[in-house]
Amino acid sequence: MLSLSGRAVWSRQKDGHWEIGIHLGLAEGKKLLKAALPKALLKIEAVPSLQARSLRIMGRVLACTLSLISAELVTGFFLKEGILPPFSAPSLDTTFRFFWLSVFLILSDGLKVYFEITGRSTLRQYSSDMAQVTAVIACHNTGKPITHTIEAATSMLSNDRVIVVDDASTDDTAAIAMSTDARVVPLKKNVGKSGALTIGLQHVKTKYALILDDDTRLKNIFLPTSLLDEGFSGIAFNVLPCRRTRESTDGKNLITCIQRYEYAKSMEIGRRFLDKTGSVSCISGAIGLFRTDLLREVQAIHSDVFPGEDLERTLILLLKYKGRIVFVNEIVWTVVPDSLKSLTWQRLMRWYPGYYRLMGVFFKIMINRTLPGRLRFEMFYNIYVVLSDPLKMSSFLVLLVNGYWSGIIFLYLFYLALEIYPFLTIDKKLPVLKYYIPTFLIYPVYGTYNAFLRTASFFVWVWHRYATKQWKPKTVSAQS
């Protein structure tokens, strides 16, 4: 039998980087293994001591994982060539192969995040000229909560530069909006969020337009108009789940805390990584600052389909108009689902079908050599996620059905080990201290839950696109 050893050796280099030397060894056949698999080398930026400890743990986990994968490959080769006699080994079992597939998929996701952390941009400097900005808020059956958004907007901008488009609400939303000091544009026919924004933009007379969701919370933020003056096309903000309990939404329970970490990870890592080349791939629908002339052109060719509408708007700007989009660390609050049921509905019906709807756009950006490499890499990863999610789910189900609990526990701990460095890196701003550790421990389960929903959303998209035709695009938009 083959016995394995794996160790991670750390050394501080003169250039201020940490080196992780991951050595793979075989008690028997060591020379053969070294010839086939030379040591892997990763360079990671110098980090504070606390984060360095987490990276040491990560190095050991990677060493053990690569050692085990090596054992699988080498054992298979020895059996095939007759060097070892046939024997019943779990590595040859279908269940075990699905296990290694899961290890690879989890590892690739984790390394992508590590790669982005080491390549993040520094925070931008800017100034604000509120006189150049008009806010447009599209709403439908929002009710009383819209008053918070309108009041925050009118506290920054003059009343005539806060435009509320009521998208044929069937409740008292229009009346509530009219009781404020904002300009209200009531629509008799429902045209969807994107259509309502297009109509609202017709009333904008300033150089720049700020689009807001009807549940966005603004407080003491600066609108970075100087960045648009410099030639950037759009601005993405640091959007986080609201920490307060408003109306019937609890902003301090475990569900909202997990989403807060998820959002913070996306903002602090993903958007800052893309910001370095001015190619942030999604300006959140919660808030975005644009050049008014460009935004009007983008909205004119937007499909007006709701799932992924903010992502589509951003990708049109990047692909068709070669726009440059940056990120600013101005924190804005949004209301998120506070129960598992409402969260599932949001992801299944509103978020994830947009991935399938925009697959063609992802591919066009990925192969467009005139666009920044980081943006093209992000589009490649989006396609990879869509294609790999069914593999993740099938692998997990095979392990579950066959009762391979040791493998499932290992995958959970492996995912958790990969999450240590991001968790220590970003500012999570969780509202309740007691949920810090539970959020971290539950996150691997939360990641699996989201992979299930992304896979299931394919069938939701097919149904509403081709059967009900509710998501039939107005135009071919960015895919043309």
Side-chain angles (χ1 to χ4, degrees):
M1 294 295 292
L2 295 172
S3 60
L4 288 176
S5 63
R7 57 192 178 90
V9 180
W10 286 71
S11 61
R12 186 68 180 272
Q13 303 300 309
K14 293 181 180 179
D15 60 0
H17 287 71
W18 286 96
E19 270 192 354
I20 311 174
I22 303 174
H23 297 268
L24 307 176
L26 280 173
E28 301 172 12
K30 190 174 182 180
K31 292 183 180 180
L32 174 64
L33 182 60
K34 280 190 172 182
L37 290 170
K39 70 177 183 179
L41 186 65
L42 289 173
K43 278 194 174 182
I44 298 179
E45 290 182 338
V47 293
S49 58
L50 181 62
Q51 296 174 358
R53 282 189 224 115
S54 70
L55 284 174
R56 290 190 191 99
I57 296 172
M58 185 60 225
R60 294 187 183 103
V61 172
L62 287 177
C64 292
T65 302
L66 291 173
S67 296
L68 289 171
I69 292 174
S70 302
E72 166 76 357
L73 296 174
V74 173
T75 304
F77 173 78
F78 283 0
L79 289 170
K80 182 179 178 181
E81 297 299 321
I83 299 174
L84 287 177
F87 64 95
S88 178
S91 59
L92 302 180
D93 186 74
T94 302
T95 302
F96 211 58
R97 295 189 186 279
F98 274 106
F99 167 76
W100 285 119
L101 175 61
S102 299
V103 170
F104 169 77
L105 295 173
I106 293 173
L107 181 62
S108 59
D109 289 339
L111 292 181
K112 188 254 187 184
V113 174
Y114 277 57
F115 174 65
E116 290 180 335
I117 290 176
T118 60
R120 292 187 299 170
S121 66
T122 56
L123 297 177
R124 294 182 179 272
Q125 303 296 316
Y126 45 81
S127 60
S128 180
D129 182 1
M130 298 295 194
Q132 297 189 72
V133 181
T134 298
V136 180
I137 307 170
C139 60
H140 176 74
N141 289 346
T142 310
K144 187 178 178 181
I146 197 173
T147 58
H148 301 295
T149 304
I150 295 175
E151 288 170 0
T154 52
S155 69
M156 297 190 309
L157 308 171
S158 61
N159 296 339
D160 62 323
R161 287 189 287 115
V162 178
I163 300 169
V164 180
V165 184
D166 178 64
D167 191 20
S169 295
T170 57
D171 60 4
D172 58 352
T173 299
I176 292 174
M178 289 178 181
S179 67
T180 67
D181 296 325
R183 293 173 58 190
V184 181
V185 180
L187 304 181
K188 294 183 179 180
K189 180 182 178 181
N190 184 276
V191 295
K193 179 184 176 182
S194 179
L197 288 175
T198 301
I199 293 172
L201 286 170
Q202 297 173 5
H203 300 269
V204 176
K205 298 180 180 179
T206 54
K207 189 176 180 181
Y208 305 129
L210 179 74
I211 61 174
L212 299 172
D213 268 352
D214 51 13
D215 60 358
T216 301
R217 306 288 183 258
L218 310 171
K219 186 177 181 181
N220 301 325
I221 71 163
F222 287 94
L223 302 179
T225 55
S226 64
L227 294 178
L228 297 179
D229 292 336
E230 293 173 15
F232 292 108
S233 310
I235 310 293
F237 292 75
N238 191 347
V239 180
L240 295 174
C242 186
R243 294 183 290 184
R244 298 182 181 180
T245 298
R246 294 182 183 274
E247 281 76 38
S248 59
T249 303
D250 184 359
K252 294 185 178 182
N253 66 16
L254 183 58
I255 296 293
T256 54
C257 284
I258 293 173
Q259 291 174 84
R260 178 178 295 279
Y261 172 57
E262 176 189 30
Y263 274 62
K265 188 177 175 182
S266 172
M267 301 293 160
E268 289 283 329
I269 299 176
R271 277 166 175 71
R272 281 185 59 184
F273 173 77
L274 293 171
D275 170 73
K276 198 160 188 176
T277 53
S279 57
V280 174
S281 62
C282 184
I283 299 179
S284 170
I287 182 172
L289 184 63
F290 300 85
R291 284 174 42 194
T292 304
D293 57 345
L294 268 181
L295 185 56
R296 285 189 179 127
E297 292 183 34
V298 169
Q299 286 299 126
I301 60 175
H302 195 285
S303 69
D304 286 352
V305 177
F306 182 73
E309 61 89 22
D310 51 357
L311 178 59
E312 179 184 1
R313 181 183 305 111
T314 312
L315 295 182
I316 293 174
L317 191 56
L318 290 165
L319 178 62
K320 190 173 180 63
Y321 295 96
K322 300 298 184 286
R324 297 171 63 210
I325 300 172
V326 293
F327 170 80
V328 295
N329 193 32
E330 293 288 340
I331 297 178
V332 177
W333 310 105
T334 185
V335 177
V336 297
D338 62 351
S339 68
L340 190 60
K341 180 180 178 181
S342 57
L343 177 62
T344 300
W345 185 90
Q346 180 204 57
R347 303 299 169 94
L348 195 59
M349 302 299 296
R350 298 176 62 181
W351 280 25
Y352 294 146
Y355 278 80
Y356 296 98
R357 189 171 72 80
L358 297 170
M359 279 285 282
V361 188
F362 295 160
F363 183 76
K364 286 194 172 185
I365 292 177
M366 184 184 72
I367 63 175
N368 191 325
R369 295 186 178 182
T370 64
L371 296 174
R374 294 190 181 209
L375 175 63
R376 295 169 62 200
F377 169 73
E378 182 70 14
M379 295 301 104
F380 165 78
Y381 183 72
N382 286 345
I383 295 172
Y384 166 78
V385 166
V386 170
L387 297 179
S388 66
D389 276 339
L391 295 176
K392 292 177 185 175
M393 294 306 96
S394 57
S395 299
F396 178 76
L397 289 174
V398 167
L399 298 179
L400 194 63
V401 169
N402 287 280
Y404 190 39
W405 298 109
S406 59
I408 293 174
I409 292 172
F410 175 85
L411 292 175
Y412 167 80
L413 294 175
F414 184 51
Y415 194 128
L416 208 61
L418 286 168
E419 203 63 44
I420 292 174
Y421 185 37
F423 193 80
L424 295 176
T425 299
I426 66 173
D427 186 358
K428 295 162 283 297
K429 296 184 175 66
L430 298 187
V432 184
L433 187 61
K434 68 179 181 180
Y435 286 141
Y436 267 76
I437 299 304
T439 293
F440 172 68
L441 295 177
I442 292 173
Y443 205 73
V445 180
Y446 182 71
T448 305
Y449 158 80
N450 276 287
F452 266 110
L453 294 183
R454 279 193 298 268
T455 304
S457 67
F458 169 76
F459 302 100
V460 175
W461 172 71
V462 169
W463 175 256
H464 286 293
R465 171 62 180 87
Y466 297 103
T468 69
K469 299 186 186 289
Q470 291 179 13
W471 293 347
K472 183 178 180 180
K474 175 189 68 178
T475 65
V476 201
S477 74
Q479 301 180 51
S480 59

